[in-house]
Amino acid sequence: MAEMQKRTIDDLNRLHTDAKSADEEAVAEMRTAILLIAGEHYSKKMTDWWNRSRTTAQQSESAKLRITKNWMHRAHRLYMKSILSQAPGTTCSPRNPLELQDQKDAELCEAVRLYLWDKAKMKAKIREWVSDFTGPGECAAKIYFDPNKGYLRGYEAKVDELGQPMIDPATGQQIHDETKPVFSGEIVFERVFPQNLFRDVNCRNMADAAWVGVEKVESTKALRSQFKGDKEKEKMIQDSSGEYIIFDSNKKGYSKEKDLTMVREFYFKPCPEHPNGYFYITTRKASSPRVSYPMASSPSCGKASTRRRPACARRAS
């Protein structure tokens, strides 16, 4: 399929299926690592067997399983501590220390960096990323600007049938629509769990991937509230709502959840055919129109990987 052509929902579903199949073995290892660290690596099928081995009268007392010491959790914490205790910091320094203008520029940049560090709670986020890297073996983050976060700046003006702002006769000021708040916006560092990240199956490494994707399960009710009034998006949400088997990294196991919608994001990097790059946001049965990145800037995605194999290695295996 030519790159210039728009991708249909069937094309995107095929890309998603191929990407998940390519990393199925690696993702299974990541999930096992999470269970090992949490001490929950005994499967549910085996749980009944262990219970019988503890309660049966046919085995001797010395053969019965009493307690299991989880050393993996301690090893994981020690690895995290060794990385965090020696991780270097960053600072902004002048290109030419003898130039006064360079010094002022460096001071301004350092002030911005420190503000973002405190505002985004980067110390806690770095600890999460180190935990993901030493546990499942991979960490990733999606960095973007969310206009619906930050402090409240005001409200949009109410409009009449012609689309003109409504004016309060008593004050001569525009009438605010308190159902449409306007926020200042905020840079978001979204943690991407490794099992929710998928990529181009033909890449030799993640840095060279023509596209990367992120999937996440959202509450159908929350999505409806967020896109209330948008008939097209409401239909996308309704058609894809259903029951999912979820691997919860916090609960360290699988569970069935209802009234959920799987949202998939496909981010295609800039290329000669599309210098600005583009992305799609889809559900199982519908896709948003193709959208180019604003100002030729694709979302930043920092990632470290130790488990996913390149295409050449998969073909050789």
Side-chain angles (χ1 to χ4, degrees), residues 234-299:
E234 286 181 347
K235 188 176 186 305
M236 288 174 58
I237 296 167
Q238 179 63 33
D239 292 344
S240 300
S241 179
E243 184 179 73
Y244 291 87
I245 299 176
I246 304 298
F247 180 83
D248 193 329
S249 297
N250 295 321
K251 297 180 181 179
K252 310 298 188 299
Y254 294 90
S255 62
K256 286 186 177 181
E257 302 287 345
K258 295 182 179 180
D259 297 325
L260 297 176
T261 300
M262 174 72 76
V263 179
R264 300 165 182 167
E265 303 168 2
F266 294 80
Y267 297 100
F268 293 83
K269 297 181 180 179
C271 59
E273 292 82 4
H274 295 277
N276 292 340
Y278 60 96
F279 66 92
Y280 291 94
I281 298 178
T282 78
T283 58
R284 290 184 303 175
K285 298 184 179 181
S287 169
S288 67
R290 184 177 65 193
V291 182
S292 297
Y293 302 126
M295 297 179 291
S297 177
S298 59

Side-chain angles (χ1 to χ4, degrees), residues 75-235:
H76 175 243
R77 307 297 290 184
L78 288 174
Y79 269 111
M80 286 181 58
K81 183 179 179 180
S82 64
I83 294 174
L84 292 169
S85 63
Q86 301 187 45
T90 58
T91 188
C92 300
S93 59
R95 175 84 173 179
N96 185 352
L98 301 179
E99 287 287 342
L100 182 60
Q101 186 61 46
D102 286 3
Q103 295 176 11
K104 292 182 177 180
D105 291 342
E107 291 174 0
L108 289 173
C109 292
E110 179 65 8
V112 172
R113 187 193 70 83
L114 291 175
Y115 171 79
L116 181 61
W117 180 273
D118 294 334
K119 184 73 175 177
K121 298 180 175 60
M122 291 302 297
K123 188 174 182 180
K125 286 181 171 55
I126 289 176
R127 187 173 187 86
E128 291 178 347
W129 297 332
V130 172
S131 176
D132 289 343
F133 181 75
T134 56
E138 182 175 288
C139 62
K142 186 179 69 174
I143 307 170
Y144 62 97
F145 181 80
D146 189 344
N148 295 321
K149 291 186 177 294
Y151 61 87
L152 180 65
R153 298 184 61 181
Y155 299 91
E156 294 184 13
K158 283 188 176 181
V159 295
D160 55 21
E161 294 80 0
L162 301 177
Q164 298 298 321
M166 299 177 64
I167 305 298
D168 186 350
T171 62
Q173 301 293 325
Q174 292 182 355
I175 301 176
H176 294 159
D177 187 351
E178 295 188 358
T179 63
K180 297 180 179 180
V182 178
F183 292 91
S184 62
E186 190 174 285
I187 296 176
V188 177
F189 294 78
E190 181 180 330
R191 183 182 184 184
V192 178
F193 292 101
Q195 61 267 26
N196 295 338
L197 183 69
F198 54 97
R199 44 84 182 195
D200 179 14
V201 297
N202 296 316
C203 67
R204 292 181 176 272
N205 57 69
M206 291 290 284
D208 296 333
W211 60 271
V212 294
V214 177
E215 64 178 10
K216 51 187 175 182
V217 178
E218 301 281 1
S219 167
T220 301
K221 183 178 179 180
L223 289 175
R224 286 174 181 164
S225 176
Q226 182 178 354
F227 297 105
K228 186 177 181 180
D230 192 326
K231 301 299 182 182
E232 183 179 352
K233 288 187 175 62
E234 286 181 347
K235 188 176 186 305

Side-chain angles (χ1 to χ4, degrees), residues 23-72:
D23 292 327
E24 185 176 5
E25 181 180 348
V27 172
E29 292 181 13
M30 294 174 189
R31 290 170 175 163
T32 300
I34 294 174
L35 295 174
L36 280 169
I37 293 170
E40 300 288 345
H41 51 290
Y42 295 113
S43 65
K44 291 184 178 179
K45 292 182 179 180
M46 291 293 292
T47 299
D48 294 337
W49 187 89
W50 291 119
N51 288 337
R52 288 195 300 271
S53 70
R54 287 192 295 267
T55 58
T56 182
Q58 298 177 359
Q59 288 187 351
S60 64
E61 291 295 326
S62 60
K64 293 182 180 181
L65 181 64
R66 293 294 183 182
I67 190 171
T68 300
K69 178 66 175 178
N70 182 16
W71 290 103
M72 293 300 298

